[in-house]
Amino acid sequence: MIISSISEIYNGVVNHYQFTVACHAENQTPENTAAFRISRLNERVANQLNALADMGDGELAHKFQMEAQSLELHGNSPTPV
């Protein structure tokens, strides 16, 4: 039960991230502004994913940590579970 709840929260965070990034592109946000806001968003979402990983255990926690690291280092969008 707890694992499915953590997965639902994770998916909500990822969907919000993807929606926000898509909004910047759709609204034609100036490049410098979008880069700054997305870099801040990457940092915030990576912190949220790491916090979720701390709540989980095993393979799921490892996936959350890998997604957070990839987002923070490379800006790769996390994928839903």
Side-chain angles (χ1 to χ4, degrees), residues 13 17 40-52 64-65 67-69 71-73:
V13 170
Y17 172 84
R40 292 187 65 212
L41 178 64
N42 288 352
E43 183 180 329
R44 187 171 56 242
V45 170
N47 288 337
Q48 291 172 343
L49 296 181
N50 279 322
L52 287 172
F64 291 174
Q65 287 176 333
E67 292 284 344
Q69 185 179 25
L71 176 63
E72 200 167 29
L73 295 178

PDB file of all heavy atoms in Angstrom, residues 13 17 40-52 64-65 67-69 71-73:
ATOM      1  N   VAL A  13       4.584  14.158  -9.325  1.00  0.00           N
ATOM      2  CA  VAL A  13       5.734  15.069  -9.441  1.00  0.00           C
ATOM      3  C   VAL A  13       6.261  15.073 -10.871  1.00  0.00           C
ATOM      4  O   VAL A  13       6.528  16.131 -11.449  1.00  0.00           O
ATOM      5  CB  VAL A  13       6.846  14.670  -8.436  1.00  0.00           C
ATOM      6  CG1 VAL A  13       8.135  15.424  -8.707  1.00  0.00           C
ATOM      7  CG2 VAL A  13       6.384  14.909  -7.005  1.00  0.00           C
ATOM      8  N   TYR A  17       6.244  18.158 -13.594  1.00  0.00           N
ATOM      9  CA  TYR A  17       7.495  18.581 -14.210  1.00  0.00           C
ATOM     10  C   TYR A  17       7.340  18.649 -15.730  1.00  0.00           C
ATOM     11  O   TYR A  17       7.684  19.643 -16.362  1.00  0.00           O
ATOM     12  CB  TYR A  17       8.628  17.623 -13.836  1.00  0.00           C
ATOM     13  CG  TYR A  17       9.911  17.900 -14.588  1.00  0.00           C
ATOM     14  CD1 TYR A  17      10.796  18.868 -14.139  1.00  0.00           C
ATOM     15  CD2 TYR A  17      10.225  17.208 -15.753  1.00  0.00           C
ATOM     16  CE1 TYR A  17      11.963  19.146 -14.833  1.00  0.00           C
ATOM     17  CE2 TYR A  17      11.391  17.474 -16.442  1.00  0.00           C
ATOM     18  CZ  TYR A  17      12.258  18.444 -15.985  1.00  0.00           C
ATOM     19  OH  TYR A  17      13.393  18.721 -16.683  1.00  0.00           O
ATOM     20  N   ARG A  40      16.091  25.699 -12.159  1.00  0.00           N
ATOM     21  CA  ARG A  40      15.571  25.729 -10.785  1.00  0.00           C
ATOM     22  C   ARG A  40      14.558  24.614 -10.565  1.00  0.00           C
ATOM     23  O   ARG A  40      14.527  23.974  -9.509  1.00  0.00           O
ATOM     24  CB  ARG A  40      14.945  27.085 -10.479  1.00  0.00           C
ATOM     25  CG  ARG A  40      16.003  28.183 -10.419  1.00  0.00           C
ATOM     26  CD  ARG A  40      15.454  29.500  -9.964  1.00  0.00           C
ATOM     27  NE  ARG A  40      14.997  29.381  -8.582  1.00  0.00           N
ATOM     28  CZ  ARG A  40      13.973  30.063  -8.087  1.00  0.00           C
ATOM     29  NH1 ARG A  40      13.322  30.922  -8.833  1.00  0.00           N
ATOM     30  NH2 ARG A  40      13.610  29.913  -6.832  1.00  0.00           N
ATOM     31  N   LEU A  41      13.714  24.372 -11.573  1.00  0.00           N
ATOM     32  CA  LEU A  41      12.730  23.292 -11.496  1.00  0.00           C
ATOM     33  C   LEU A  41      13.432  21.939 -11.395  1.00  0.00           C
ATOM     34  O   LEU A  41      13.028  21.083 -10.601  1.00  0.00           O
ATOM     35  CB  LEU A  41      11.814  23.328 -12.725  1.00  0.00           C
ATOM     36  CG  LEU A  41      10.755  22.239 -12.840  1.00  0.00           C
ATOM     37  CD1 LEU A  41       9.739  22.354 -11.705  1.00  0.00           C
ATOM     38  CD2 LEU A  41      10.056  22.329 -14.187  1.00  0.00           C
ATOM     39  N   ASN A  42      14.503  21.745 -12.183  1.00  0.00           N
ATOM     40  CA  ASN A  42      15.267  20.494 -12.119  1.00  0.00           C
ATOM     41  C   ASN A  42      15.791  20.241 -10.716  1.00  0.00           C
ATOM     42  O   ASN A  42      15.709  19.124 -10.202  1.00  0.00           O
ATOM     43  CB  ASN A  42      16.434  20.524 -13.105  1.00  0.00           C
ATOM     44  CG  ASN A  42      16.004  20.413 -14.546  1.00  0.00           C
ATOM     45  OD1 ASN A  42      14.843  20.164 -14.839  1.00  0.00           O
ATOM     46  ND2 ASN A  42      16.942  20.622 -15.446  1.00  0.00           N
ATOM     47  N   GLU A  43      16.330  21.282 -10.105  1.00  0.00           N
ATOM     48  CA  GLU A  43      16.878  21.138  -8.748  1.00  0.00           C
ATOM     49  C   GLU A  43      15.784  20.784  -7.747  1.00  0.00           C
ATOM     50  O   GLU A  43      15.942  19.888  -6.919  1.00  0.00           O
ATOM     51  CB  GLU A  43      17.565  22.440  -8.344  1.00  0.00           C
ATOM     52  CG  GLU A  43      18.243  22.386  -6.996  1.00  0.00           C
ATOM     53  CD  GLU A  43      18.918  23.698  -6.646  1.00  0.00           C
ATOM     54  OE1 GLU A  43      19.373  24.399  -7.564  1.00  0.00           O
ATOM     55  OE2 GLU A  43      18.973  24.009  -5.444  1.00  0.00           O
ATOM     56  N   ARG A  44      14.654  21.480  -7.842  1.00  0.00           N
ATOM     57  CA  ARG A  44      13.552  21.243  -6.907  1.00  0.00           C
ATOM     58  C   ARG A  44      12.972  19.836  -7.075  1.00  0.00           C
ATOM     59  O   ARG A  44      12.745  19.123  -6.091  1.00  0.00           O
ATOM     60  CB  ARG A  44      12.468  22.303  -7.106  1.00  0.00           C
ATOM     61  CG  ARG A  44      11.366  22.244  -6.091  1.00  0.00           C
ATOM     62  CD  ARG A  44      10.418  23.424  -6.165  1.00  0.00           C
ATOM     63  NE  ARG A  44       9.832  23.581  -7.486  1.00  0.00           N
ATOM     64  CZ  ARG A  44      10.007  24.648  -8.273  1.00  0.00           C
ATOM     65  NH1 ARG A  44      10.756  25.651  -7.874  1.00  0.00           N
ATOM     66  NH2 ARG A  44       9.429  24.716  -9.447  1.00  0.00           N
ATOM     67  N   VAL A  45      12.761  19.412  -8.324  1.00  0.00           N
ATOM     68  CA  VAL A  45      12.192  18.091  -8.573  1.00  0.00           C
ATOM     69  C   VAL A  45      13.181  16.998  -8.166  1.00  0.00           C
ATOM     70  O   VAL A  45      12.776  15.970  -7.604  1.00  0.00           O
ATOM     71  CB  VAL A  45      11.759  17.956 -10.053  1.00  0.00           C
ATOM     72  CG1 VAL A  45      11.398  16.526 -10.392  1.00  0.00           C
ATOM     73  CG2 VAL A  45      10.579  18.873 -10.329  1.00  0.00           C
ATOM     74  N   ALA A  46      14.468  17.194  -8.416  1.00  0.00           N
ATOM     75  CA  ALA A  46      15.471  16.214  -7.990  1.00  0.00           C
ATOM     76  C   ALA A  46      15.437  16.049  -6.468  1.00  0.00           C
ATOM     77  O   ALA A  46      15.520  14.920  -5.963  1.00  0.00           O
ATOM     78  CB  ALA A  46      16.859  16.629  -8.457  1.00  0.00           C
ATOM     79  N   ASN A  47      15.288  17.138  -5.740  1.00  0.00           N
ATOM     80  CA  ASN A  47      15.178  17.059  -4.278  1.00  0.00           C
ATOM     81  C   ASN A  47      13.924  16.296  -3.862  1.00  0.00           C
ATOM     82  O   ASN A  47      13.956  15.497  -2.920  1.00  0.00           O
ATOM     83  CB  ASN A  47      15.184  18.452  -3.659  1.00  0.00           C
ATOM     84  CG  ASN A  47      16.542  19.110  -3.720  1.00  0.00           C
ATOM     85  OD1 ASN A  47      17.562  18.438  -3.824  1.00  0.00           O
ATOM     86  ND2 ASN A  47      16.559  20.432  -3.667  1.00  0.00           N
ATOM     87  N   GLN A  48      12.817  16.542  -4.563  1.00  0.00           N
ATOM     88  CA  GLN A  48      11.579  15.836  -4.247  1.00  0.00           C
ATOM     89  C   GLN A  48      11.720  14.335  -4.518  1.00  0.00           C
ATOM     90  O   GLN A  48      11.262  13.509  -3.717  1.00  0.00           O
ATOM     91  CB  GLN A  48      10.414  16.411  -5.056  1.00  0.00           C
ATOM     92  CG  GLN A  48      10.019  17.803  -4.635  1.00  0.00           C
ATOM     93  CD  GLN A  48       9.002  18.439  -5.568  1.00  0.00           C
ATOM     94  OE1 GLN A  48       8.802  17.985  -6.696  1.00  0.00           O
ATOM     95  NE2 GLN A  48       8.355  19.494  -5.101  1.00  0.00           N
ATOM     96  N   LEU A  49      12.354  13.989  -5.640  1.00  0.00           N
ATOM     97  CA  LEU A  49      12.529  12.570  -5.962  1.00  0.00           C
ATOM     98  C   LEU A  49      13.452  11.880  -4.966  1.00  0.00           C
ATOM     99  O   LEU A  49      13.215  10.730  -4.589  1.00  0.00           O
ATOM    100  CB  LEU A  49      13.067  12.410  -7.382  1.00  0.00           C
ATOM    101  CG  LEU A  49      12.159  12.899  -8.510  1.00  0.00           C
ATOM    102  CD1 LEU A  49      12.809  12.650  -9.858  1.00  0.00           C
ATOM    103  CD2 LEU A  49      10.783  12.275  -8.431  1.00  0.00           C
ATOM    104  N   ASN A  50      14.486  12.578  -4.527  1.00  0.00           N
ATOM    105  CA  ASN A  50      15.376  12.007  -3.504  1.00  0.00           C
ATOM    106  C   ASN A  50      14.630  11.802  -2.189  1.00  0.00           C
ATOM    107  O   ASN A  50      14.849  10.810  -1.496  1.00  0.00           O
ATOM    108  CB  ASN A  50      16.602  12.884  -3.298  1.00  0.00           C
ATOM    109  CG  ASN A  50      17.652  12.649  -4.350  1.00  0.00           C
ATOM    110  OD1 ASN A  50      17.869  11.531  -4.783  1.00  0.00           O
ATOM    111  ND2 ASN A  50      18.304  13.717  -4.775  1.00  0.00           N
ATOM    112  N   ALA A  51      13.748  12.733  -1.838  1.00  0.00           N
ATOM    113  CA  ALA A  51      12.954  12.585  -0.616  1.00  0.00           C
ATOM    114  C   ALA A  51      12.031  11.380  -0.728  1.00  0.00           C
ATOM    115  O   ALA A  51      11.868  10.617   0.234  1.00  0.00           O
ATOM    116  CB  ALA A  51      12.150  13.850  -0.339  1.00  0.00           C
ATOM    117  N   LEU A  52      11.443  11.171  -1.905  1.00  0.00           N
ATOM    118  CA  LEU A  52      10.590   9.999  -2.103  1.00  0.00           C
ATOM    119  C   LEU A  52      11.404   8.715  -2.037  1.00  0.00           C
ATOM    120  O   LEU A  52      10.932   7.692  -1.534  1.00  0.00           O
ATOM    121  CB  LEU A  52       9.855  10.094  -3.438  1.00  0.00           C
ATOM    122  CG  LEU A  52       8.714  11.107  -3.496  1.00  0.00           C
ATOM    123  CD1 LEU A  52       8.208  11.240  -4.926  1.00  0.00           C
ATOM    124  CD2 LEU A  52       7.592  10.710  -2.563  1.00  0.00           C
ATOM    125  N   PHE A  64      14.139   5.880  -8.247  1.00  0.00           N
ATOM    126  CA  PHE A  64      13.892   7.290  -7.947  1.00  0.00           C
ATOM    127  C   PHE A  64      15.208   8.061  -7.850  1.00  0.00           C
ATOM    128  O   PHE A  64      15.330   9.167  -8.361  1.00  0.00           O
ATOM    129  CB  PHE A  64      13.113   7.448  -6.638  1.00  0.00           C
ATOM    130  CG  PHE A  64      11.683   6.962  -6.698  1.00  0.00           C
ATOM    131  CD1 PHE A  64      10.919   6.942  -5.551  1.00  0.00           C
ATOM    132  CD2 PHE A  64      11.106   6.532  -7.876  1.00  0.00           C
ATOM    133  CE1 PHE A  64       9.602   6.507  -5.575  1.00  0.00           C
ATOM    134  CE2 PHE A  64       9.789   6.090  -7.914  1.00  0.00           C
ATOM    135  CZ  PHE A  64       9.035   6.082  -6.755  1.00  0.00           C
ATOM    136  N   GLN A  65      16.195   7.463  -7.184  1.00  0.00           N
ATOM    137  CA  GLN A  65      17.487   8.133  -7.040  1.00  0.00           C
ATOM    138  C   GLN A  65      18.193   8.287  -8.379  1.00  0.00           C
ATOM    139  O   GLN A  65      18.799   9.323  -8.648  1.00  0.00           O
ATOM    140  CB  GLN A  65      18.375   7.370  -6.060  1.00  0.00           C
ATOM    141  CG  GLN A  65      17.923   7.522  -4.628  1.00  0.00           C
ATOM    142  CD  GLN A  65      18.737   6.683  -3.672  1.00  0.00           C
ATOM    143  OE1 GLN A  65      19.279   5.650  -4.050  1.00  0.00           O
ATOM    144  NE2 GLN A  65      18.809   7.120  -2.421  1.00  0.00           N
ATOM    145  N   GLU A  67      16.745   8.513 -11.346  1.00  0.00           N
ATOM    146  CA  GLU A  67      16.009   9.531 -12.098  1.00  0.00           C
ATOM    147  C   GLU A  67      16.378  10.929 -11.593  1.00  0.00           C
ATOM    148  O   GLU A  67      16.580  11.848 -12.386  1.00  0.00           O
ATOM    149  CB  GLU A  67      14.498   9.315 -11.986  1.00  0.00           C
ATOM    150  CG  GLU A  67      13.990   8.073 -12.667  1.00  0.00           C
ATOM    151  CD  GLU A  67      13.915   8.191 -14.181  1.00  0.00           C
ATOM    152  OE1 GLU A  67      13.974   9.313 -14.715  1.00  0.00           O
ATOM    153  OE2 GLU A  67      13.793   7.141 -14.828  1.00  0.00           O
ATOM    154  N   ALA A  68      16.479  11.087 -10.280  1.00  0.00           N
ATOM    155  CA  ALA A  68      16.854  12.379  -9.705  1.00  0.00           C
ATOM    156  C   ALA A  68      18.260  12.774 -10.122  1.00  0.00           C
ATOM    157  O   ALA A  68      18.510  13.930 -10.495  1.00  0.00           O
ATOM    158  CB  ALA A  68      16.750  12.326  -8.178  1.00  0.00           C
ATOM    159  N   GLN A  69      19.178  11.834 -10.100  1.00  0.00           N
ATOM    160  CA  GLN A  69      20.562  12.121 -10.482  1.00  0.00           C
ATOM    161  C   GLN A  69      20.645  12.488 -11.961  1.00  0.00           C
ATOM    162  O   GLN A  69      21.345  13.435 -12.329  1.00  0.00           O
ATOM    163  CB  GLN A  69      21.441  10.909 -10.187  1.00  0.00           C
ATOM    164  CG  GLN A  69      22.905  11.151 -10.450  1.00  0.00           C
ATOM    165  CD  GLN A  69      23.744   9.939 -10.111  1.00  0.00           C
ATOM    166  OE1 GLN A  69      23.255   8.807 -10.114  1.00  0.00           O
ATOM    167  NE2 GLN A  69      25.000  10.165  -9.807  1.00  0.00           N
ATOM    168  N   LEU A  71      18.302  13.779 -13.797  1.00  0.00           N
ATOM    169  CA  LEU A  71      17.667  15.093 -13.964  1.00  0.00           C
ATOM    170  C   LEU A  71      18.603  16.202 -13.529  1.00  0.00           C
ATOM    171  O   LEU A  71      18.780  17.195 -14.234  1.00  0.00           O
ATOM    172  CB  LEU A  71      16.371  15.146 -13.153  1.00  0.00           C
ATOM    173  CG  LEU A  71      15.631  16.476 -13.127  1.00  0.00           C
ATOM    174  CD1 LEU A  71      15.160  16.853 -14.522  1.00  0.00           C
ATOM    175  CD2 LEU A  71      14.458  16.400 -12.171  1.00  0.00           C
ATOM    176  N   GLU A  72      19.217  16.027 -12.380  1.00  0.00           N
ATOM    177  CA  GLU A  72      20.083  17.059 -11.822  1.00  0.00           C
ATOM    178  C   GLU A  72      21.355  17.248 -12.640  1.00  0.00           C
ATOM    179  O   GLU A  72      21.778  18.373 -12.896  1.00  0.00           O
ATOM    180  CB  GLU A  72      20.432  16.696 -10.375  1.00  0.00           C
ATOM    181  CG  GLU A  72      20.896  17.858  -9.558  1.00  0.00           C
ATOM    182  CD  GLU A  72      20.918  17.514  -8.081  1.00  0.00           C
ATOM    183  OE1 GLU A  72      21.110  16.334  -7.712  1.00  0.00           O
ATOM    184  OE2 GLU A  72      20.740  18.440  -7.291  1.00  0.00           O
ATOM    185  N   LEU A  73      21.957  16.167 -13.093  1.00  0.00           N
ATOM    186  CA  LEU A  73      23.223  16.264 -13.815  1.00  0.00           C
ATOM    187  C   LEU A  73      23.058  16.571 -15.293  1.00  0.00           C
ATOM    188  O   LEU A  73      23.836  17.338 -15.864  1.00  0.00           O
ATOM    189  CB  LEU A  73      24.015  14.956 -13.663  1.00  0.00           C
ATOM    190  CG  LEU A  73      24.486  14.608 -12.264  1.00  0.00           C
ATOM    191  CD1 LEU A  73      25.199  13.269 -12.260  1.00  0.00           C
ATOM    192  CD2 LEU A  73      25.396  15.697 -11.714  1.00  0.00           C
TER     193      LEU A  73
END
